[in-house]
Amino acid sequence: MTFVITEPCIGTKDTACVDVCPVDCIHPVKDAPEFETEEMLYIDPDTCIDCGACEPECLWEAIYEDASVPEVFSDDTALNAKMMDAQDDFEVPVNEGSDQPSPEQVAANKEKW
Ligand code: SF4
């Protein structure tokens, strides 16, 4: 089992999840060169310890346990794993905090999908 970041992360890249992950398996982080060019964040399924800490931290509701990923986001499970093939390019997370979205922003972001 692992947790998966899905498409509602696109355009938000909130990073609140990065701040709580005890094993630093969410990439890229804000100060990584890839942060500006990647559309979204990803979880390394081989390193994730399934603690679940990231899921409630994502106020955009983009993170799911792999068994609970909605069908519309089903491709994202493989995408998270695939992106981790390039994890040597990523850097160790730095906690820089993040602004919290309003309920209206969360609803508007979900409407896109
Ligand atoms: Fe990190 Fe835990 Fe989320 Fe896995 S479930 S990505 S270990 S915070």
Side-chain angles (χ1 to χ4, degrees):
M1 192 179 83
T2 183
F3 279 71
V4 176
I5 299 179
T6 62
E7 291 172 64
C9 182
I10 294 176
T12 67
K13 295 189 290 187
D14 183 272
T15 72
C17 55
V18 173
D19 298 341
V20 299
C21 179
V23 293
D24 299 336
C25 68
I26 303 175
H27 308 281
V29 296
K30 280 184 176 176
D31 60 349
E34 299 81 12
F35 187 81
E36 293 303 321
T37 55
E38 288 296 335
E39 287 189 314
M40 57 183 276
L41 306 181
Y42 307 97
I43 291 173
D44 178 358
D46 294 330
T47 307
C48 175
I49 59 172
D50 310 323
C51 71
C54 55
E55 184 179 15
E57 287 300 312
C58 182
L59 300 182
W60 296 99
E61 301 177 8
I63 301 178
Y64 296 88
E65 192 175 347
D66 59 354
S68 302
V69 172
E71 179 65 27
V72 68
F73 303 137
S74 59
D75 290 345
D76 292 332
T77 301
L79 179 62
N80 276 237
K82 181 179 178 184
M83 293 305 294
M84 287 303 101
D85 288 343
Q87 68 177 326
D88 288 344
D89 296 336
F90 299 130
E91 298 178 2
V92 176
V94 173
N95 184 346
E96 297 179 5
S98 61
D99 296 330
Q100 296 188 348
S102 68
E104 292 78 17
Q105 288 173 307
V106 173
N109 191 48
K110 292 181 86 172
E111 281 296 314
K112 294 189 299 190
W113 309 103

